[in-house]
Amino acid sequence: MTAMTPGSNLPLSVARVAVDVTAPVRLDVSGLLLTANGKVRSDDDFVFYNQPTGPGVTHRAGAAGAGDTITVDTAAVPADIEKIVVTASLDAPGATFAGTEPTATVRGADDGAVIATFTPPRLGNETALVTVEVYRRNGAWKVRAVGQGYANGLAGIATDFGVTVEEP
């Protein structure tokens, strides 16, 4: 098992990986399937609790006290998708990540073996976060620790990646 730092990456030795994102508070975890231009093809490429399946990617809500999981079956991801971005946002309105340390644990989806963990350092007024990305490089799949925060919540992340967000 490897503890990752921001920007570090590792090759994946398994075709199916699960990314669990946990924190001392409730998080909403999602996955976005991105093409070479860094955008989703349509809103169907946004996988989260209300839309738990996409091509090669699934969302599973965590049981009480456990984090949500995004599972990526790299063999089933469409050829035009280059990366799956795993995000986390705080469930409580107005809450920030200041003092909260979310951890992404990447493991083999079939055997549960932990491949890597990543806890983003020094978070502050962020309300949403890109934790890790599972990406394709020269035909091989890798995982990268990101830790990029957003002050405008999940809507900010979704909009940046091309998802249509309708505000109430």
Side-chain angles (χ1 to χ4, degrees):
M1 192 251 338
T2 300
M4 299 180 80
T5 58
S8 64
N9 63 63
L10 292 170
L12 291 175
S13 58
V14 295
R16 287 178 20 87
V17 295
V19 180
D20 305 321
V21 184
T22 57
V25 297
R26 176 79 183 119
L27 299 176
D28 290 328
V29 177
S30 58
L32 294 114
L33 290 79
L34 307 178
T35 62
N37 70 0
K39 305 285 185 189
V40 295
R41 298 169 300 181
S42 74
D43 291 356
D44 292 340
D45 286 343
F46 181 36
V47 178
F48 64 113
Y49 61 92
N50 276 343
Q51 184 169 286
T53 59
V57 179
T58 58
H59 172 276
R60 181 182 51 78
D68 291 359
T69 302
I70 296 294
T71 301
V72 179
D73 182 348
T74 59
V77 172
D80 61 337
I81 297 298
E82 289 199 355
K83 74 174 78 163
I84 294 88
V85 174
V86 179
T87 69
S89 58
L90 293 154
D91 193 39
T96 68
F97 276 106
T100 299
E101 292 191 337
T103 297
T105 302
V106 181
R107 57 184 173 75
D110 296 323
D111 65 5
V114 175
I115 298 166
T117 62
F118 173 60
T119 302
R122 298 174 305 280
L123 296 172
N125 68 344
E126 298 89 347
T127 57
L129 179 69
V130 173
T131 59
V132 299
E133 57 189 27
V134 176
Y135 68 101
R136 191 186 329 239
R137 175 75 40 95
N138 297 325
W141 286 91
K142 296 183 173 192
V143 62
R144 176 181 296 123
V146 180
Q148 171 67 47
Y150 285 72
N152 53 350
L154 184 56
I157 290 176
T159 302
D160 271 5
F161 292 124
V163 175
T164 302
V165 176
E166 295 180 15
E167 295 294 333

